[in-house]
Short mmCIF file of all heavy atoms in Angstrom, two decimals:
data_model
loop_
_atom_site.label_atom_id
_atom_site.label_comp_id
_atom_site.label_asym_id
_atom_site.label_seq_id
_atom_site.Cartn_x
_atom_site.Cartn_y
_atom_site.Cartn_z
N VAL A 506 7.58 -10.25 4.76
CA VAL A 506 8.50 -11.27 5.29
C VAL A 506 8.04 -12.68 5.00
O VAL A 506 8.47 -13.64 5.67
CB VAL A 506 8.70 -11.05 6.80
CG1 VAL A 506 9.42 -9.76 7.08
CG2 VAL A 506 7.39 -11.09 7.56
N THR A 507 7.20 -12.84 4.00
CA THR A 507 6.65 -14.18 3.70
C THR A 507 7.75 -15.21 3.48
O THR A 507 7.70 -16.34 3.98
CB THR A 507 5.75 -14.12 2.45
OG1 THR A 507 4.64 -13.26 2.72
CG2 THR A 507 5.25 -15.50 2.07
N ALA A 508 8.77 -14.85 2.71
CA ALA A 508 9.85 -15.80 2.39
C ALA A 508 10.75 -16.08 3.59
O ALA A 508 11.44 -17.11 3.63
CB ALA A 508 10.68 -15.29 1.23
N LEU A 509 10.75 -15.20 4.58
CA LEU A 509 11.66 -15.33 5.72
C LEU A 509 11.06 -16.13 6.89
O LEU A 509 11.79 -16.68 7.69
CB LEU A 509 12.11 -13.96 6.21
CG LEU A 509 12.81 -13.07 5.19
CD1 LEU A 509 13.16 -11.72 5.82
CD2 LEU A 509 14.07 -13.74 4.64
N VAL A 510 9.74 -16.14 7.00
CA VAL A 510 9.11 -16.79 8.15
C VAL A 510 8.95 -18.30 7.96
O VAL A 510 8.61 -19.00 8.91
CB VAL A 510 7.74 -16.15 8.45
CG1 VAL A 510 7.89 -14.68 8.80
CG2 VAL A 510 6.77 -16.35 7.28
N LYS A 511 9.23 -18.80 6.76
CA LYS A 511 9.03 -20.22 6.49
C LYS A 511 10.07 -21.08 7.22
O LYS A 511 11.25 -20.73 7.30
CB LYS A 511 9.10 -20.50 4.99
CG LYS A 511 7.92 -19.92 4.23
CD LYS A 511 8.01 -20.24 2.76
CE LYS A 511 6.80 -19.68 2.00
NZ LYS A 511 6.86 -19.96 0.55
N LYS A 512 9.59 -22.21 7.73
CA LYS A 512 10.47 -23.15 8.41
C LYS A 512 11.08 -24.12 7.39
O LYS A 512 10.60 -24.24 6.26
CB LYS A 512 9.68 -23.95 9.45
CG LYS A 512 9.04 -23.07 10.53
CD LYS A 512 8.18 -23.91 11.47
CE LYS A 512 7.49 -23.02 12.51
NZ LYS A 512 6.63 -23.80 13.43
N LYS A 513 12.14 -24.80 7.80
CA LYS A 513 12.82 -25.71 6.88
C LYS A 513 11.89 -26.80 6.37
O LYS A 513 11.91 -27.14 5.18
CB LYS A 513 14.03 -26.35 7.59
CG LYS A 513 14.89 -27.21 6.68
CD LYS A 513 16.12 -27.72 7.41
CE LYS A 513 17.01 -28.53 6.46
NZ LYS A 513 18.24 -29.00 7.16
N SER A 514 11.04 -27.31 7.24
CA SER A 514 10.11 -28.36 6.83
C SER A 514 9.11 -27.88 5.76
O SER A 514 8.55 -28.69 5.04
CB SER A 514 9.34 -28.88 8.05
OG SER A 514 8.61 -27.82 8.66
N GLU A 515 8.95 -26.57 5.69
CA GLU A 515 7.98 -26.02 4.75
C GLU A 515 8.57 -25.75 3.37
O GLU A 515 7.84 -25.43 2.44
CB GLU A 515 7.39 -24.73 5.30
CG GLU A 515 6.61 -24.91 6.60
CD GLU A 515 6.17 -23.59 7.21
OE1 GLU A 515 6.89 -22.57 7.04
OE2 GLU A 515 5.13 -23.57 7.88
N VAL A 516 9.90 -25.90 3.23
CA VAL A 516 10.53 -25.65 1.94
C VAL A 516 11.28 -26.89 1.43
O VAL A 516 11.97 -26.84 0.42
CB VAL A 516 11.50 -24.46 2.00
CG1 VAL A 516 10.75 -23.19 2.28
CG2 VAL A 516 12.59 -24.68 3.06
N LEU A 517 11.13 -28.03 2.12
CA LEU A 517 11.75 -29.27 1.67
C LEU A 517 10.99 -29.86 0.51
O LEU A 517 9.74 -29.84 0.49
CB LEU A 517 11.80 -30.29 2.82
CG LEU A 517 12.92 -30.14 3.87
CD1 LEU A 517 12.69 -31.14 5.01
CD2 LEU A 517 14.29 -30.36 3.23
N ARG A 518 11.73 -30.43 -0.47
CA ARG A 518 11.07 -31.14 -1.57
C ARG A 518 10.62 -32.50 -1.07
O ARG A 518 11.36 -33.22 -0.38
CB ARG A 518 12.03 -31.28 -2.75
CG ARG A 518 11.35 -31.85 -4.01
CD ARG A 518 12.37 -32.07 -5.12
NE ARG A 518 13.01 -30.82 -5.51
CZ ARG A 518 12.47 -29.91 -6.32
NH1 ARG A 518 11.27 -30.11 -6.82
NH2 ARG A 518 13.14 -28.80 -6.60
N GLU A 519 9.40 -32.89 -1.43
CA GLU A 519 8.88 -34.19 -0.98
C GLU A 519 9.62 -35.32 -1.70
O GLU A 519 9.90 -35.24 -2.90
CB GLU A 519 7.39 -34.28 -1.30
CG GLU A 519 6.51 -33.31 -0.51
CD GLU A 519 5.05 -33.51 -0.82
OE1 GLU A 519 4.70 -34.55 -1.41
OE2 GLU A 519 4.24 -32.64 -0.48
N LYS A 520 9.92 -36.38 -0.93
CA LYS A 520 10.55 -37.57 -1.53
C LYS A 520 9.50 -38.38 -2.27
O LYS A 520 8.31 -38.30 -1.98
CB LYS A 520 11.20 -38.41 -0.44
CG LYS A 520 12.31 -37.68 0.31
CD LYS A 520 12.90 -38.57 1.39
CE LYS A 520 13.97 -37.85 2.18
NZ LYS A 520 14.54 -38.68 3.26
N ALA A 521 9.96 -39.23 -3.19
CA ALA A 521 9.03 -40.05 -3.99
C ALA A 521 8.19 -40.95 -3.11
O ALA A 521 7.02 -41.19 -3.34
CB ALA A 521 9.80 -40.86 -5.02
N ALA A 522 8.82 -41.50 -2.03
CA ALA A 522 8.10 -42.42 -1.15
C ALA A 522 7.03 -41.70 -0.37
O ALA A 522 6.05 -42.30 0.10
CB ALA A 522 9.07 -43.10 -0.19
N ASP A 523 7.17 -40.38 -0.20
CA ASP A 523 6.19 -39.61 0.57
C ASP A 523 4.99 -39.20 -0.27
O ASP A 523 3.97 -38.75 0.27
CB ASP A 523 6.85 -38.36 1.16
CG ASP A 523 7.97 -38.71 2.12
OD1 ASP A 523 7.90 -39.83 2.69
OD2 ASP A 523 8.88 -37.88 2.30
N LYS A 524 5.15 -39.33 -1.59
CA LYS A 524 4.06 -38.90 -2.47
C LYS A 524 3.00 -40.00 -2.59
O LYS A 524 3.34 -41.19 -2.60
CB LYS A 524 4.60 -38.54 -3.84
CG LYS A 524 5.54 -37.34 -3.84
CD LYS A 524 6.01 -37.02 -5.25
CE LYS A 524 6.95 -35.83 -5.25
NZ LYS A 524 7.42 -35.52 -6.61
N PRO A 525 1.73 -39.73 -2.72
CA PRO A 525 0.71 -40.74 -2.91
C PRO A 525 0.88 -41.43 -4.24
O PRO A 525 1.30 -40.84 -5.24
CB PRO A 525 -0.60 -39.94 -2.86
CG PRO A 525 -0.19 -38.53 -3.18
CD PRO A 525 1.19 -38.37 -2.66
N ALA A 526 0.56 -42.77 -4.27
CA ALA A 526 0.72 -43.56 -5.48
C ALA A 526 -0.20 -43.02 -6.57
O ALA A 526 -1.35 -42.67 -6.32
CB ALA A 526 0.39 -45.02 -5.22
N ALA A 527 0.36 -42.97 -7.79
CA ALA A 527 -0.44 -42.46 -8.92
C ALA A 527 -1.45 -43.51 -9.34
O ALA A 527 -1.21 -44.73 -9.26
CB ALA A 527 0.48 -42.11 -10.08
N THR A 528 -2.58 -43.13 -9.83
CA THR A 528 -3.61 -44.04 -10.32
C THR A 528 -3.20 -44.62 -11.67
O THR A 528 -2.90 -43.86 -12.59
CB THR A 528 -4.95 -43.30 -10.48
OG1 THR A 528 -5.30 -42.71 -9.23
CG2 THR A 528 -6.05 -44.26 -10.92
N PRO A 529 -3.11 -45.98 -11.83
CA PRO A 529 -2.67 -46.56 -13.10
C PRO A 529 -3.63 -46.18 -14.21
O PRO A 529 -4.83 -45.95 -13.99
CB PRO A 529 -2.71 -48.08 -12.81
CG PRO A 529 -2.73 -48.20 -11.35
CD PRO A 529 -3.42 -46.98 -10.84
N PRO A 530 -3.12 -46.14 -15.46
CA PRO A 530 -3.99 -45.82 -16.58
C PRO A 530 -5.10 -46.85 -16.71
O PRO A 530 -4.89 -48.04 -16.60
CB PRO A 530 -3.05 -45.85 -17.79
CG PRO A 530 -1.67 -45.69 -17.21
CD PRO A 530 -1.72 -46.30 -15.86
N GLY A 531 -6.31 -46.37 -16.93
CA GLY A 531 -7.44 -47.26 -17.13
C GLY A 531 -8.15 -47.65 -15.86
O GLY A 531 -9.23 -48.20 -15.89
N ALA A 532 -7.52 -47.38 -14.69
CA ALA A 532 -8.14 -47.74 -13.41
C ALA A 532 -8.99 -46.58 -12.90
O ALA A 532 -8.70 -45.44 -13.16
CB ALA A 532 -7.07 -48.11 -12.40
N THR A 533 -10.04 -46.96 -12.19
CA THR A 533 -10.92 -45.92 -11.61
C THR A 533 -10.33 -45.43 -10.31
O THR A 533 -10.04 -46.23 -9.44
CB THR A 533 -12.32 -46.51 -11.35
OG1 THR A 533 -12.83 -47.00 -12.57
CG2 THR A 533 -13.25 -45.43 -10.79
N PRO A 534 -10.10 -44.12 -10.19
CA PRO A 534 -9.52 -43.62 -8.94
C PRO A 534 -10.47 -43.83 -7.78
O PRO A 534 -11.70 -43.83 -7.96
CB PRO A 534 -9.31 -42.13 -9.22
CG PRO A 534 -10.28 -41.81 -10.29
CD PRO A 534 -10.39 -43.07 -11.14
N PRO A 535 -9.94 -44.08 -6.57
CA PRO A 535 -10.82 -44.30 -5.40
C PRO A 535 -11.60 -43.03 -5.09
O PRO A 535 -11.15 -41.94 -5.41
CB PRO A 535 -9.83 -44.64 -4.27
CG PRO A 535 -8.55 -44.00 -4.70
CD PRO A 535 -8.54 -44.09 -6.20
#
Side-chain angles (χ1 to χ4, degrees):
V506 293
T507 297
L509 302 178
V510 298
K511 292 182 179 179
K512 301 175 181 179
K513 185 175 183 178
S514 59
E515 297 173 330
V516 295
L517 281 173
R518 188 184 299 280
E519 293 183 14
K520 298 179 182 179
D523 298 335
K524 295 182 179 180
T528 303
T533 302

